[in-house]
Amino acid sequence: MHQHRRILFALIIACSCFAKAQDTFTVMSYNIENAFDTIHDEGKKDQEFCAGGERGWNRYRLFEKLRGVSKVIAAADEQRPIDLIGLCEVENDTVMKYLTRYTPLRHIGYQHIITESNDERGIDVALLYSPFTFHPIEKQKIRVSTKNETTRDILHVTGTLNNGDTLDVYVLHLPSRRGGGKAHSLSKKVVQALCSNIDSIRLARQQPNLIVMGDFNAEKNAPQLKSLTQKGILTNQTAKLKPGTYKYQGAWSTIDHILTYTTSLTPQHSQILNLPFLIEPDPTNGGDKPRRTYLGPIYQGGISDHLPIVTRFVFP
């Protein structure tokens, strides 16, 4: 507890210095596993996470999760707050307000932007940002759907950095691999729409800076990633990180990524945050595994089944 307070105090002090000098810019991507509120959204299949639902989800468990997320963000960098955080599996604006106003993050002043997708379960992606270092100008949702399938929208936010340069940020959550051929086809269409948007941005900007982050549900050599990186347009900053961000059937894989094309920012360092309170022993397969919120219908009390990734940039 005392260590967490020291981290928080350091972040508050750092906030006051943002406008004076900034030589680094740090980005995090984190799938926070089913961050639902407890109220049913009409037309969405969220009943299992409603009050009285089969999972026993309630406000206490929700706020335990959100306090955990705030702890991760605070512990990710003890020198200064993370500038941008892309979040996956957030249900709605209410959850984001809880995170920014009713956890220790309220002392830092984070603001947020969230999509409102046609996802059947009602989960979205969101961008958490420090208004001291990133100044949004425009937001856009990139929606892809087929006759029988829907998925999460891509969130595209254009803003400026403190040096006056423009930064375009994309947060996405591609369809799950467990969806089979239909999911793969839909994922391909989402990436095609993303590529088209990126091409337009690169033509429109004299000095483009692009960051694409989120849960791709695919490893670095998958077609979804190759179509974004093989032309040399985007660089995968997390391609070489081990052991991974997600563990399935005993095997680690990195399915969360941060891709970049930057002219005003230079990537310096990337890492997977396997902080002690995010992992636990894996008695079945050996080693460690993420301490998730649920294992099937059984509450585990952890924050997420994914580990967050962080990339730090420096200004040239």
Side-chain angles (χ1 to χ4, degrees):
M1 179 62 72
H2 292 302
Q3 181 183 7
H4 181 50
R5 286 176 179 171
R6 286 198 299 271
I7 293 172
L8 180 58
F9 180 74
L11 294 180
I12 295 170
I13 296 300
C15 283
S16 65
C17 302
F18 277 166
K20 297 179 181 178
Q22 182 187 9
D23 55 5
T24 63
F25 191 86
T26 310
V27 173
M28 171 189 287
S29 180
Y30 195 14
N31 181 325
I32 58 174
E33 188 198 345
N34 293 323
F36 284 85
D37 66 12
T38 60
I39 302 171
H40 174 55
D41 283 351
E42 189 168 349
K44 303 297 183 182
K45 297 179 180 179
D46 61 353
Q47 288 86 349
E48 61 182 326
F49 284 98
C50 293
E54 61 187 73
R55 288 181 180 258
W57 189 241
N58 53 42
R59 285 176 63 87
Y60 175 80
R61 290 180 174 181
L62 169 62
F63 278 93
E64 279 291 291
K65 173 190 274 287
L66 296 181
R67 281 190 288 268
V69 173
S70 72
K71 184 179 178 182
V72 173
I73 294 171
D77 191 332
E78 295 190 12
Q79 301 301 316
R80 54 187 302 277
I82 303 293
D83 298 286
L84 296 177
I85 303 106
L87 296 176
C88 298
E89 295 199 16
V90 180
E91 184 183 19
N92 51 35
D93 189 66
T94 298
V95 174
M96 292 303 298
K97 287 179 179 177
Y98 288 161
L99 177 63
T100 55
R101 298 179 186 179
Y102 300 106
T103 74
L105 292 185
R106 67 185 181 275
H107 299 293
I108 302 176
Y110 280 117
Q111 297 182 21
H112 71 275
I113 300 171
I114 186 169
T115 56
E116 294 181 5
S117 302
N118 284 334
D119 178 75
E120 64 177 14
R121 297 176 64 226
I123 57 174
D124 288 291
V125 297
L127 181 69
L128 198 64
Y129 65 93
S130 166
F132 300 99
T133 59
F134 181 72
H135 318 287
I137 300 171
E138 183 180 6
K139 65 178 181 179
Q140 172 194 18
K141 65 181 179 184
I142 303 173
R143 175 165 294 180
V144 177
S145 61
T146 64
K147 186 175 181 179
N148 299 314
E149 298 287 332
T150 60
T151 189
R152 278 80 54 177
D153 296 341
I154 299 173
L155 177 61
H156 173 208
V157 180
T158 302
T160 57
L161 304 171
N162 279 350
N163 65 357
D165 289 335
T166 302
L167 173 63
D168 286 275
V169 184
Y170 299 84
V171 185
L172 58 80
H173 184 186
L174 294 185
S176 170
R177 293 178 290 183
R178 299 174 191 174
K182 288 184 178 180
H184 179 77
S185 176
L186 186 57
S187 179
K188 184 178 178 181
K189 290 181 179 179
V190 174
V191 171
Q192 287 174 344
L194 173 62
C195 288
S196 177
N197 191 280
I198 287 174
D199 287 342
S200 298
I201 293 299
R202 292 182 70 243
L203 288 173
R205 308 270 188 260
Q206 289 185 342
Q207 291 185 304
N209 293 286
L210 308 172
I211 295 176
V212 182
M213 58 180 163
D215 180 355
F216 286 74
N217 271 307
E219 297 184 70
K220 63 179 180 180
N221 293 322
Q224 299 95 311
L225 271 297
K226 283 189 174 181
S227 62
L228 290 166
T229 60
Q230 64 184 357
K231 296 179 181 179
I233 296 173
L234 296 174
T235 301
N236 192 341
Q237 301 298 333
T238 48
K240 297 180 181 180
L241 299 183
K242 300 292 183 179
T245 60
Y246 185 76
K247 195 173 189 181
Y248 180 66
Q249 295 184 344
W252 282 99
S253 59
T254 299
I255 61 175
D256 305 271
H257 303 275
I258 296 176
L259 313 179
T260 65
Y261 177 91
T262 57
T263 55
S264 303
L265 295 166
T266 303
Q268 182 186 50
H269 176 69
S270 296
Q271 67 180 115
I272 296 172
L273 292 181
N274 57 345
L275 301 167
F277 61 89
L278 293 179
I279 56 176
E280 63 184 0
D282 184 351
T284 303
N285 302 292
D288 296 321
K289 61 180 181 178
R291 185 166 179 258
R292 58 196 301 164
T293 306
Y294 279 91
L295 181 59
I298 303 172
Y299 183 67
Q300 304 290 299
I303 301 172
S304 176
D305 54 352
H306 289 242
L307 295 178
I309 50 177
V310 175
T311 294
R312 178 180 292 109
F313 301 85
V314 295
F315 288 93

